[in-house]
Amino acid sequence: MLKRTEQLLLFALDFICINLSWTLYYWFRMKSGIFPDVSLPDFWMPMFAVCAYWIILFFFFGLYRSWYTQSRLDELTDLFKTLSFGVLLLFFLIFIDDKGVGSPTQSRLSIIVYWFMLNIFVGSGRLIVHSIQRKLLESGIGRRSSVIVGWSDKAKELYHSIKKFPALGFNVIGFVTIHNENRESEHDGIPLLGNLQTIETIINTHKVKEILVALDSSEHNKLLDVIASCNSSDVQLKIIPDLYDIISGQARTNQIYGFPLIEIMPQLMQPWEIFFKRLLDISGAFLTLLITLPLTLIVAIAIKLSSRGNIFYMQERVGKDGKHFRIIKFRTMREDAEKNTGPVWAGKNDPRITLIGNFLRKTRIDEIPQLINVLEGDMSLVGPRPERPFFVEKLSHEIPLYSRRLKVRPGVTGWAQVKHKYDESVEDVKKKLEYDLYYIENMSLRLDIKILINTISVVLLGKGH
């Protein structure tokens, strides 16, 4: 089942089940005779308002992401948590001010009944959808094109296990070997498609959606190469669990469907976190630009008077998913600073930096115009720093997982910026990449706020570089 089809079906069933729960709750509360006689409130308007409330809440809590590889128990657990939170919120928003239900005890009873009905009906609806999905997958409908990385007994054993459990949804179309030596060309009718050096071509040619990694213990050092090779493609990456210790601390992992495969680098944030992160970006950028407008005018005059050239400096950078955009900063170097050298990193006591530019960099004031990039959607307040295309291409070849930074919006500030200095060498980039990967795999609103507070501290104390 296509992801969009699954989401639409879930949405339709949720709509039906939520309204059915409301209808039965309304009858229980108003017609069952358990509660005192009261004047009947409106039925339709509250029903649709409450239904919209639940649909929005389900979206924010990630209940419309694809569940076909997840345990149905996991989905019901998440549904239970979301409904419990939502009913508590409704209690404070609606029920606590409701004078139509008798005593407090009766009011609490009605809330419990409504919560119980929601769990039964919405949970049953979702079980029906995923039971149908499972039957379709077992019939060969909707499976995702997959390749197994590895050509050992472990890889072949993984293939036979997948063949035994068709409801996993993997359609293995071939193997990819780590090494280049010649081997037999197929196993059980499944061909050897190529090696690690050609995996990107294999992914594009065969429209691969899943990469299943089954490496021997002697090949553990190749795991990072596998991840780096697949990182630029829109594929899901899963490994045999005994490799977990290799990536522990570097990747957020989820076990899927009770099957011994672990997902690497799944969805980074829940939909509700993505929504509020963007809301924080827009509101924070707009307010900061407004508050710092007098400072911006003073800085603009100072730059114009202190050196020849434009007030602002615009440069092409690489953003989310490799999209190029022009970053805006206050100019801190003399005009044509890289005319004779080409792209180079700024160093400590760099002679190209102007006197006013040195002050702007230490206080991070030169970054203020980037808030325009945030409002345009090319950047976020917090994220890995955007780099120039020249360096992105160079470093992607030299450093495994460097392109992983391109999975999220770049930021005005970030975990690497508050923990490390500016890039002056490849070693600095490698060190900051560790901080960037930590941020990417642990993204949350809480971490963003922590980084913003640290950045304010750096600005106020003048600790910038």
Side-chain angles (χ1 to χ4, degrees):
M1 189 181 295
L2 294 175
K3 184 177 181 181
R4 182 61 58 86
T5 305
E6 178 187 10
Q7 289 174 333
L8 289 174
L9 188 55
L10 283 175
F11 177 84
L13 270 176
D14 283 346
F15 180 84
I16 294 170
C17 294
I18 290 168
N19 289 331
L20 180 60
S21 300
W22 174 265
T23 302
L24 291 178
Y25 165 73
Y26 186 89
W27 173 87
F28 172 77
R29 184 181 171 194
M30 301 300 168
K31 305 284 189 178
S32 65
I34 296 175
F35 301 100
D37 292 334
V38 293
S39 58
L40 292 177
D42 185 31
F43 173 79
W44 295 104
M45 187 62 70
M47 183 179 76
F48 289 120
V50 169
C51 183
Y53 164 81
W54 284 117
I55 295 294
I56 293 170
L57 205 63
F58 287 0
F59 171 78
F60 280 148
F61 279 85
L63 291 180
Y64 290 114
R65 66 183 185 271
S66 180
W67 286 91
Y68 84 97
T69 56
Q70 299 284 342
S71 162
R72 282 172 287 184
L73 179 60
D74 290 342
E75 180 180 12
L76 291 179
T77 300
D78 282 356
L79 179 65
F80 174 84
K81 293 176 182 176
T82 304
L83 290 175
S84 299
F85 170 81
V87 164
L88 282 174
L89 191 57
L90 276 179
F91 173 79
F92 289 107
L93 292 176
I94 300 173
F95 291 108
I96 202 169
D97 192 41
D98 192 345
K99 299 177 182 178
V101 176
S103 68
T105 301
Q106 292 171 327
S107 179
R108 284 192 290 269
L109 174 62
S110 70
I111 296 167
I112 293 172
V113 169
Y114 181 56
W115 170 83
F116 180 77
M117 289 177 177
L118 281 169
N119 274 282
I120 293 296
F121 287 109
V122 179
S124 297
R126 285 174 168 259
L127 283 177
I128 290 170
V129 170
H130 297 307
S131 294
I132 293 172
Q133 258 186 309
R134 181 172 181 172
K135 292 296 182 184
L136 290 173
L137 290 170
E138 289 174 347
S139 301
I141 300 172
R143 294 185 199 165
R144 293 161 67 88
S145 294
S146 311
V147 297
I148 295 176
V149 176
W151 191 240
S152 62
D153 291 338
K154 180 183 290 186
K156 294 169 185 176
E157 182 182 346
L158 173 61
Y159 164 71
H160 289 291
S161 297
I162 289 171
K163 188 176 179 181
K164 185 179 177 181
F165 297 102
L168 284 166
F170 301 127
N171 178 33
V172 178
I173 60 172
F175 292 88
V176 173
T177 182
I178 294 293
H179 307 291
N180 295 321
E181 61 264 26
N182 294 325
R183 298 168 181 257
E184 61 269 30
S185 60
E186 66 173 38
H187 171 73
D188 196 26
I190 304 299
L192 178 62
L193 299 175
N195 55 48
L196 193 56
Q197 285 68 43
T198 61
I199 192 168
E200 192 169 348
T201 303
I202 293 169
I203 290 170
N204 294 330
T205 302
H206 297 278
K207 295 181 172 55
V208 175
K209 297 298 181 183
E210 301 280 351
I211 301 293
L212 310 174
V213 183
L215 301 180
D216 278 341
S217 56
S218 60
E219 299 171 322
H220 281 182
N221 61 325
K222 294 292 184 178
L223 180 58
L224 284 180
D225 294 334
V226 174
I227 297 173
S229 299
C230 301
N231 198 48
S232 60
S233 304
D234 184 21
V235 295
Q236 299 295 316
L237 192 65
K238 300 175 177 69
I239 65 172
I240 295 291
D242 62 355
L243 298 181
Y244 171 78
D245 55 327
I246 300 175
I247 56 160
S248 180
Q250 297 183 39
R252 185 186 300 177
T253 59
N254 289 321
Q255 189 161 356
I256 57 167
Y257 199 59
F259 190 78
L261 284 174
I262 293 178
E263 185 177 12
I264 304 176
M265 302 174 184
Q267 183 176 332
L268 301 174
M269 297 179 79
Q270 293 284 3
W272 71 269
E273 287 186 294
I274 295 172
F275 174 82
F276 282 108
K277 179 177 172 65
R278 185 61 189 147
L279 186 63
L280 177 64
D281 287 343
I282 294 172
S283 57
F286 179 78
L287 288 174
T288 304
L289 283 171
L290 193 64
I291 293 170
T292 59
L293 185 58
L295 176 62
T296 297
L297 295 174
I298 294 170
V299 170
I301 294 170
I303 292 173
K304 200 65 180 175
L305 294 177
S306 64
S307 62
R308 184 167 53 89
N310 296 324
I311 294 170
F312 297 104
Y313 177 67
M314 300 182 70
Q315 189 180 67
E316 189 176 26
R317 297 290 176 98
V318 181
K320 186 177 183 291
D321 298 326
K323 177 188 174 184
H324 289 211
F325 69 98
R326 295 184 68 78
I327 198 172
I328 308 169
K329 300 177 69 174
F330 282 124
R331 181 174 59 82
T332 58
M333 290 188 175
R334 65 173 189 268
E335 194 175 27
D336 299 328
E338 293 184 337
K339 183 177 180 180
N340 299 320
T341 62
V344 292
W345 283 303
K348 192 175 182 179
N349 300 320
D350 196 313
R352 300 172 299 166
I353 300 175
T354 64
L355 185 63
I356 185 69
N358 188 54
F359 170 76
L360 294 178
R361 287 193 174 211
K362 279 188 173 294
T363 56
R364 303 287 179 93
I365 293 174
D366 64 318
E367 313 280 4
I368 290 176
Q370 290 175 51
L371 297 173
I372 297 172
N373 294 118
V374 174
L375 291 177
E376 291 177 342
D378 292 320
M379 294 180 66
S380 174
L381 290 178
V382 180
R385 286 296 294 160
E387 193 51 86
R388 285 181 274 181
F390 172 82
F391 290 120
V392 169
E393 185 176 355
K394 180 176 183 290
L395 296 169
S396 295
H397 292 297
E398 294 181 13
I399 305 175
L401 297 185
Y402 183 81
S403 58
R404 174 67 173 159
R405 302 166 80 255
L406 304 181
K407 294 294 183 182
V408 299
R409 278 195 185 101
V412 177
T413 185
W415 190 240
Q417 279 62 54
V418 299
K419 291 293 183 179
H420 200 67
K421 57 189 179 69
Y422 273 28
D423 299 338
E424 296 177 3
S425 66
V426 174
E427 291 306 313
D428 285 332
V429 175
K430 289 180 179 178
K431 185 64 179 176
K432 290 177 76 171
L433 179 61
E434 294 179 20
Y435 291 117
D436 284 337
L437 290 179
Y438 172 84
Y439 170 76
I440 290 170
E441 298 304 334
N442 295 276
M443 285 178 66
S444 67
L445 289 175
R446 179 177 174 273
L447 183 57
D448 277 13
I449 293 170
K450 180 179 180 180
I451 291 170
L452 289 172
I453 292 172
N454 273 273
T455 302
I456 293 170
S457 174
V458 168
V459 171
L460 294 178
L461 299 177
K463 291 182 179 180
H465 172 65

